[in-house]
Amino acid sequence: MSEPDAAPELAALEAELRLLAPREGDIDRDALLFRAGRASARGGWAWPLAAGLSTCAAVVFAGVLTLRPPRVVYVTVERPAAPAEESPPISDEPPPAVREPVAVEELPPYQRLQEHLLRWGLDGLPAPPPPAESRPASDHFSHYSQLLRGESSP
Amino acid sequence: MDPVQLARLVDQQAAALVLYARQWCAAPEDVVQEAFLKLAAQRRPPDRVVAWIYRVVRNAALSAARGERRRRRHESEAAARAPSWFVSTEGAGLDGRAATDALAALPGDLREPVVAHLWGGLTFAEVGELMGLSASTAHRRYLEGLAALRERLRVPCPNQTPRRN
C-alpha cells in the first residue's frame, strides 16, 4: 500500500523538517547493547521451575520417611507337612533322658568333679581344713587337687 | 534478536524514539533504553519491530508521564527549560530551537503522527494502529499538524503568490 503524499503546499515544510536530526539524548550505545545482551541471555522459567519442584519433592519425601512409623509386614508361611510315618507321636511327657551310664572313675578329673557337684551339690564338698596349727596350711587349689586324685577328705 | 540487527535498529531509531518519547515524559532516554532491553529479551522478535518498539516506548512514556505529573506542578516551566529536541545539522533550513518550540506547542494528537511518520518512518497505518485510529485519520492529523507547524514557523507556502500593491 502506497503512502498518500503530503499536500503540495506542505511538501517543502516536510522536507525541511526531515533535515532536522533528533537529539539522541544521553543514550550510551555501547552500554545499551551490553545490557541488551545480558537481557537476551537470561534464561526462561523452565529450569528454575524444575529445580524448585524437585527440591519440594525431596523435602516432602524426606518428611514422609522421617515421620511415618516403620511398617511391619507379617508374612504367613505354611509349614511344610512332614511325612506321617517318620513323625513320632506327640506326647506331653518329656522325652526320657537317654544317657549311657559311665563309671565315675573312667571320667577325666574335671568331669569327675562336675559329676560330684551335680550329684551332691556344694554340701558334698569336703569339710574345710582344720586350723593352721593342727594341719599344714592348704588352699582350695590343693584341696581340689586331692579330690581330683581321688583321695578322700579327712 | 540478532545483535547486529539490534545495533542497527539502535542506530536508526534511537534518536527518533527519544524524540517520540519526549512528547510525554522528561526522561525519554530511560524509556527508550528499557524498550530496547525489552526487545532484546524477546524470545521471538516481533514481526514489525519498528512499530512494536514505538508502541512499547509510547506506553512506557505515557506511564512515566503520569508519574511525573503527580510529582511536578509546573510542567510548562519545566518544558520551557528543556533543551532543544534537535541538533543543528548542515543544510537544515529550520532552526532547531524554533522547531522544538513549534512542535512542543502542537496538540498531542497532531504532534504524535508528525513525529512518528517524519522521524520514525512509520507508515500511516502503523501510526493509526499506535494511536487507535484509522490510517486515513492518522494521515489527516499528520497534515493538520504540518499545517499548524507551518503557521508557527511562518514558513511561506510555495504556491502562495506574493501580493502586488
Side-chain angles (χ1 to χ4, degrees):
Chain A
M1 190 178 85
S2 62
E3 290 290 304
D5 296 330
E9 66 271 16
L10 298 175
L13 174 65
E14 192 180 32
E16 290 284 343
L17 287 171
R18 277 188 204 278
L19 290 177
L20 290 173
R23 183 184 296 278
E24 272 197 28
D26 297 330
I27 291 183
D28 186 347
R29 180 180 180 275
D30 294 336
L32 173 60
L33 291 177
F34 176 74
R35 290 179 63 196
R38 289 185 66 185
S40 67
R42 253 175 223 149
W45 47 267
W47 282 111
L49 182 66
L53 284 178
S54 62
T55 304
C56 289
V59 169
V60 168
F61 287 141
V64 167
L65 286 175
T66 306
L67 301 177
R68 195 178 63 174
R71 185 179 173 200
V72 179
V73 179
Y74 294 95
V75 179
T76 306
V77 179
E78 292 292 333
R79 182 176 293 176
E85 60 275 9
E86 292 180 0
S87 61
I90 300 173
S91 65
D92 295 336
E93 296 177 359
V98 178
R99 191 168 181 183
E100 293 294 329
V102 179
V104 177
E105 291 76 16
E106 296 176 0
L107 292 174
Y110 70 93
Q111 282 191 355
R112 214 180 306 158
L113 176 61
Q114 186 181 13
E115 286 294 328
H116 184 83
L117 282 172
L118 287 174
R119 179 172 295 180
W120 304 110
L122 288 175
D123 296 335
L125 288 176
E133 60 272 9
S134 61
R135 249 188 98 88
S138 67
D139 53 5
H140 289 289
F141 180 74
S142 59
H143 183 63
Y144 291 139
S145 300
Q146 287 175 357
L147 268 177
L148 292 175
R149 285 194 300 270
E151 297 173 1
S152 62
S153 6
Chain B
M1 189 177 193
D2 184 46
V4 177
Q5 290 178 347
L6 183 66
R8 191 180 303 137
L9 189 66
V10 169
D11 292 338
Q12 289 174 352
Q13 291 291 339
L17 282 167
V18 169
L19 176 65
Y20 185 65
R22 207 188 286 277
Q23 301 177 76
W24 297 288
C25 63
E29 295 89 355
D30 296 344
V31 169
V32 171
Q33 291 190 59
E34 290 303 318
F36 276 116
L37 294 182
K38 200 170 181 180
L39 174 64
Q42 297 289 311
R43 289 191 174 185
R44 182 183 298 174
D47 295 333
R48 291 176 298 161
V49 178
V50 177
W52 182 89
I53 202 165
Y54 268 83
R55 172 168 292 280
V56 172
V57 166
R58 185 179 199 268
N59 292 339
L62 286 172
S63 176
R66 281 192 290 271
E68 286 170 7
R69 268 198 292 273
R70 284 194 293 269
R71 290 192 301 267
R72 203 169 56 194
R73 289 183 180 178
H74 307 290
E75 192 176 356
S76 57
E77 293 178 7
R81 289 194 303 269
S84 171
W85 292 359
F86 301 98
V87 291
S88 56
T89 53
E90 281 189 28
L94 292 174
D95 178 42
R97 183 75 245 180
T100 299
D101 293 341
L103 204 56
L106 276 184
D109 57 341
L110 300 185
R111 183 176 57 222
E112 186 176 353
V114 170
V115 173
H117 179 70
L118 261 187
W119 289 284
L122 266 62
T123 64
F124 288 113
E126 290 171 337
V127 174
E129 195 176 325
L130 270 180
M131 299 177 65
L133 305 171
S134 66
S136 59
T137 308
H139 181 240
R140 186 168 48 79
R141 290 197 182 173
Y142 170 76
L143 294 180
E144 288 177 19
L146 279 187
L149 280 177
R150 190 185 63 189
E151 289 294 321
R152 292 176 194 279
L153 293 169
R154 305 193 186 286
V155 177
C157 180
N159 295 336
Q160 192 176 0
T161 52
R163 281 187 183 177
R164 293 181 181 175
N165 293 332

